[in-house]
């Protein structure tokens, strides 16, 4: 009996050694690009795993994923090839993805986590490849790579446990939808929209995400057309309105932004202060352009900007941004009107004094809202020096430490 016990015990390390030896050999074959030898060993091991529970099939599936992905990316996207050959070789990649998915569904936590990382890496890389093909005008290969990336992303999202944070790549979904539509895969695209809807994404959000996606692809005309389409359907959507205003001001279409604000003020009372603030910014930019060109409308634009900022501040008096922009409007105009000391009291000099007075008052309000802002402190210091307010200057400098 003792000999029998010894012989059984001696078998246990031998099995572990054999399994480890297979993995070591597979790793060595991969390093030396001996793909057939690696594949034969993995196939043999998976066959044995059907009858031998001691064989770590999770490790074998993981290394099959490594093998196939290495084989695929060795040539992928590096040489010109016909679409038929490209599609044929893509089955190697799909095999790699499936192998990593099998490993991640196993019981070996180590290989499970490594497989998740591999799928995450494939997701990000294939997305970049898809965008590369899009830039080259190859929408077919762009769609294929984006769809493969989406397969990886969707799998990880589905099978990660609840306690592990994972954020779905929403933009990838919209890219896949868009390239799917461009390649006449309307059914696939509509199913992705349904998937988003089931996840609680509203149609308004879909308009916004699609707009952002098109902007990222530099499809500016399509992006703006889509945003307008969304606004026709949801004219009171805060999000769509704000994106349109941001779009117009970013593209320096200030007059259009002002008109757009006026069209939505009554319909969006909860956003009234913000809309007036954006209107103030638009008039402010027009004023600066007019001053640079010595345009006669500069004074009118200044007054319009001042009125809009003041209205925004009256609605929301605790907003630092609103107070700061109004103060900057006054202060910057004062600097442009600056006159030599002792100069006669011309109209320009009187206006300079008025702007300095208004800038000082508004900056002091701004300081109450955020006492640590260096730009506000510096501007106030300059004003106190200009107006010889020594006591205020010393007090302000003490707050700086």
């Amino acid at each position: 009996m003792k000999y029998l016990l010894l012989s059984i015990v001696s078998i246990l390390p031998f099995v572990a050694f054999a399994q480890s030896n297979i993995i070591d050999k597979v790793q060595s074959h991969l390093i030396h690009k001996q793909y057939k030898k690696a594949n034969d060993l993995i196939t043999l091991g998976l066959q044995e795993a059907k009858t031998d529970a001691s064989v770590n099939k999770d490790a074998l599936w993981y290394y099959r994923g490594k093998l196939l992905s290495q084989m695929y990316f060795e040539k992928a996207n590096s040489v010109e090839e016909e679409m038929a050959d490209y599609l044929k070789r893509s089955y190697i990649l799909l095999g790699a993805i499936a192998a990593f998915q099998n490993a991640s569904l196993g019981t070996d936590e180590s290989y499970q986590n490594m497989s998740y990382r591999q799928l995450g890496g494939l997701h990000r890389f294939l997305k970049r490849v898809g965008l590369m093909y899009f830039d080259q005008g190859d929408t077919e290969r762009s769609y294929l790579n984006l769809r493969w990336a989406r397969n990886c992303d969707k799998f990880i999202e589905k099978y990660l446990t609840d306690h592990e944070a994972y954020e779905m790549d929403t933009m990838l979904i919209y890219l896949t939808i868009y390239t799917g539509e461009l390649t006449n895969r309307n059914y696939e695209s509509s199913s992705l929209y349904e998937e988003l809807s089931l996840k609680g994404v509203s149609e308004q959000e879909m308009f916004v995400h699609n707009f952002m996606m098109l902007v990222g692809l530099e499809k500016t005309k399509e992006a703006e057309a889509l945003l307008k389409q969304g606004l026709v359907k949801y004219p009171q959507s805060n999000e769509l309105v704000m994106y349109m205003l941001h779009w117009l001001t970013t593209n320096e279409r200030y007059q259009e932004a002002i008109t757009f604000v006026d069209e939505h003020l009554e319909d969006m009372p909860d956003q009234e202060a913000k809309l007036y603030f954006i209107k103030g910014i638009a008039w402010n930019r027009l004023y600066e352009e007019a001053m640079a060109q010595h345009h006669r409308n500069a004074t009118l634009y200044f007054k319009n900007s001042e009125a809009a900022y003041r209205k925004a501040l009256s609605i929301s008096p605790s907003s630092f941004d609103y107070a700061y922009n109004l103060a900057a409007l006054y202060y910057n105009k004062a600097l442009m009107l600056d006159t030599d000391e002792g100069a006669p009291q011309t109209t320009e000099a009187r206006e300079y004094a008025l702007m300095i007075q208004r800038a000082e008052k508004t900056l002091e309000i701004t300081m109450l809202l955020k006492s640590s802002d260096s730009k506000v402190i510096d501007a106030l210091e300059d004003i106190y020096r200009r107006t010889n307010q020594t006591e205020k200057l010393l007090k302000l400098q003490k707050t700086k430490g």
Side-chain angles (χ1 to χ4, degrees):
M1 291 296 292
K2 291 182 179 179
Y3 288 106
L4 181 60
L5 284 173
L6 285 172
S7 63
I8 291 172
V9 171
S10 67
I11 289 172
L12 294 176
F14 174 76
V15 172
F17 173 77
Q19 170 68 13
S20 175
N21 194 34
I22 289 175
I23 298 302
D24 289 342
K25 285 182 177 179
V26 168
Q27 289 177 320
S28 176
H29 291 327
L30 287 178
I31 292 170
H32 295 94
K33 299 183 180 181
Q34 296 169 328
Y35 299 139
K36 187 178 183 307
K37 289 183 178 181
N39 188 57
D40 289 345
L41 272 176
I42 292 169
T43 302
L44 179 63
L46 288 171
Q47 285 292 330
E48 290 180 359
K50 293 178 181 179
T51 56
D52 187 349
S54 67
V55 176
N56 189 339
K57 62 180 180 181
D58 299 340
L60 293 168
W61 278 121
Y62 173 79
Y63 280 104
R64 170 153 282 177
K66 290 277 286 183
L67 163 67
L68 294 175
S69 58
Q70 187 170 317
M71 287 172 61
Y72 177 78
F73 287 116
E74 202 168 76
K75 294 181 179 178
N77 314 306
S78 60
V79 292
E80 290 293 330
E81 62 182 342
E82 295 297 325
M83 179 55 75
D85 295 329
Y86 188 79
L87 288 171
K88 184 178 179 180
R89 195 160 47 77
S90 70
Y91 285 104
I92 300 173
L93 173 64
L94 297 178
I97 292 172
F100 286 132
Q101 289 174 342
N102 283 339
S104 64
L105 292 175
T107 56
D108 189 313
E109 190 173 341
S110 175
Y111 285 104
Q112 187 181 68
N113 291 332
M114 287 194 293
S115 296
Y116 280 136
R117 286 196 291 273
Q118 289 290 333
L119 288 168
L122 283 170
H123 151 224
R124 292 185 292 274
F125 182 74
L126 290 168
K127 182 180 177 181
R128 289 199 299 272
V129 172
L131 290 170
M132 177 196 74
Y133 276 125
F134 186 88
D135 289 339
Q136 294 174 2
D138 191 335
T139 51
E140 178 66 23
R141 296 190 194 192
S142 176
Y143 169 78
L144 290 172
N145 281 276
L146 292 170
R147 188 183 70 187
W148 298 331
R150 170 61 188 153
N151 289 346
C152 296
D153 182 51
K154 184 178 180 180
F155 181 88
I156 299 172
E157 180 199 6
K158 181 178 180 180
Y159 287 105
L160 275 182
T161 56
D162 293 336
H163 68 273
E164 295 179 80
Y166 186 79
E167 186 175 350
M168 175 181 66
D169 190 343
T170 308
M171 195 51 60
L172 172 60
I173 298 177
Y174 290 101
L175 287 166
T176 310
I177 289 172
Y178 181 58
T179 52
E181 290 172 345
L182 290 176
T183 54
N184 298 314
R185 291 178 171 91
N186 295 320
Y187 176 79
E188 289 88 340
S189 294
S190 63
S191 67
L192 283 174
Y193 275 127
E194 288 175 14
E195 188 178 323
L196 287 168
S197 181
L198 290 171
K199 291 180 180 295
V201 181
S202 69
E203 191 176 9
Q204 293 180 51
E205 290 175 300
M206 291 182 196
F207 274 112
V208 169
H209 294 152
N210 266 320
F211 165 75
M212 293 167 64
M213 179 266 297
L214 289 168
V215 171
L217 295 175
E218 298 182 355
K219 298 288 183 180
T220 54
K221 290 183 180 179
E222 291 180 38
E224 184 171 335
L226 183 78
L227 202 53
K228 288 179 177 177
Q229 182 185 340
L231 282 163
V232 168
K233 196 163 187 178
Y234 302 101
Q236 296 181 1
S237 166
N238 287 351
E239 199 170 14
L240 290 171
V241 167
M242 291 306 169
Y243 267 99
M244 177 57 82
L245 283 170
H246 182 264
W247 176 252
L248 292 173
T249 53
T250 301
N251 288 281
E252 300 181 359
R253 292 156 60 181
Y254 302 122
Q255 198 66 60
E256 289 179 63
I258 291 163
T259 302
F260 190 81
V261 167
D262 290 338
E263 290 171 350
H264 289 81
L265 268 170
E266 290 185 6
D267 298 329
M268 301 175 65
D270 58 324
Q271 296 293 314
E272 189 180 15
K274 193 169 187 179
L275 289 172
Y276 272 111
F277 177 61
I278 294 169
K279 189 176 179 180
I281 291 172
W283 281 121
N284 200 336
R285 298 293 178 268
L286 288 172
Y287 160 67
E288 291 169 356
E289 290 177 1
M291 286 296 293
Q293 298 167 10
H294 305 287
H295 197 280
R296 61 180 181 176
N297 285 337
T299 300
L300 173 63
Y301 295 161
F302 176 86
K303 289 180 179 178
N304 289 344
S305 179
E306 178 188 21
Y309 283 148
R310 288 174 70 87
K311 180 67 175 178
L313 194 56
S314 70
I315 298 168
S316 181
S318 61
S319 171
F320 171 82
D321 291 343
Y322 301 170
Y324 178 85
N325 273 34
L326 179 60
L329 182 71
Y330 292 139
Y331 182 71
N332 291 339
K333 185 168 185 178
L335 295 184
M336 286 190 287
L337 293 167
D338 193 7
T339 56
D340 296 331
E341 287 188 26
Q345 284 296 301
T346 61
T347 302
E348 189 173 274
R350 287 193 293 273
E351 190 174 7
Y352 164 77
L354 178 63
M355 290 299 111
I356 281 289
Q357 183 183 21
R358 289 181 179 175
E360 178 186 342
K361 182 179 178 180
T362 314
L363 282 167
E364 286 174 345
I365 293 171
T366 309
M367 272 284 289
L368 294 174
L369 299 172
K370 189 186 288 188
S371 60
S372 61
D373 191 277
S374 60
K375 296 188 292 295
V376 174
I377 293 171
D378 291 344
L380 269 177
E381 276 189 322
D382 180 50
I383 289 173
Y384 292 154
R385 287 194 185 95
R386 287 169 180 268
T387 53
N388 298 315
Q389 298 185 71
T390 308
E391 187 175 338
K392 279 189 173 182
L393 178 61
L394 291 172
K395 187 177 179 181
L396 180 64
Q397 288 174 335
K398 285 181 181 179
T399 64
K400 292 173 67 176

